[in-house]
Amino acid sequence: MRRAEATRRSGSAPHRTLDRAAYLILRRLDGAGAQSVTSVAESLGLDGSTVTRQVTAMERDGLVRRQRDPGDGRVTIVEPTPVGLRRMHGVRAAREELYRQLLAGWPHDERAELARLLTKLNETLDDYVRTR
C-alpha cells in the first residue's frame, strides 16, 4: 500500500491534482451525498477536527460548500461543488488509467484475484474499525 501511494504521488500527472484527503472526502460526498462533517469523519475513520480543517481548505479552493443543517443549526452540512466533483472524477479516471497501465502485463486471472483480495482486505478493515 505504501508503494501504491508513493506511485500515485510521483510526478505531476493528472492523478495528483487533489491531495489524498480531499479526494477521499469528495468520493465520500459523491457516493453518500451531502452530510455533516461528523458523518464524513466517522465514515473515513478520521478525527472530526482533521476533517473540519480539510473541509475549510476545500471550501477555500471551491471544492465543497458548507451550510447549517436546517433541522439542527449546530450541525454543518458539507456538499461537493460541481468543480469539486469534476476534479474528483478526473483524478479517479487518471488513477484508474495509471493502474490499468501498471497491471497491463498481468494475466486477467491475476488482476481479478488482486481485485478480490483488495476488496476482502477493505471489508476486513471496515469491520475492524466498526467493532472498535
Side-chain angles (χ1 to χ4, degrees), residues 71-119:
D72 184 346
R74 299 169 296 171
V75 176
T76 300
I77 300 296
V78 182
E79 65 180 331
T81 64
V83 169
L85 290 176
R86 275 194 306 277
R87 295 241 334 251
M88 185 274 300
H89 286 292
V91 168
R92 185 176 189 178
R95 286 181 174 191
E96 288 172 356
E97 179 57 27
L98 172 65
Y99 282 107
R100 245 189 306 283
Q101 291 173 13
L102 291 171
L103 301 175
W106 288 33
H108 173 75
D109 60 330
E110 289 182 2
R111 290 191 314 263
E113 181 68 0
L114 176 63
R116 185 186 73 74
L117 290 172
L118 287 173
T119 298

Side-chain angles (χ1 to χ4, degrees), residues 2-11 15-16 98-99 102:
R2 178 182 50 79
R3 284 192 179 146
E5 185 61 27
T7 300
R8 284 193 302 265
R9 287 192 316 249
S10 66
H15 58 270
R16 295 197 63 226
L98 172 65
Y99 282 107
L102 291 171

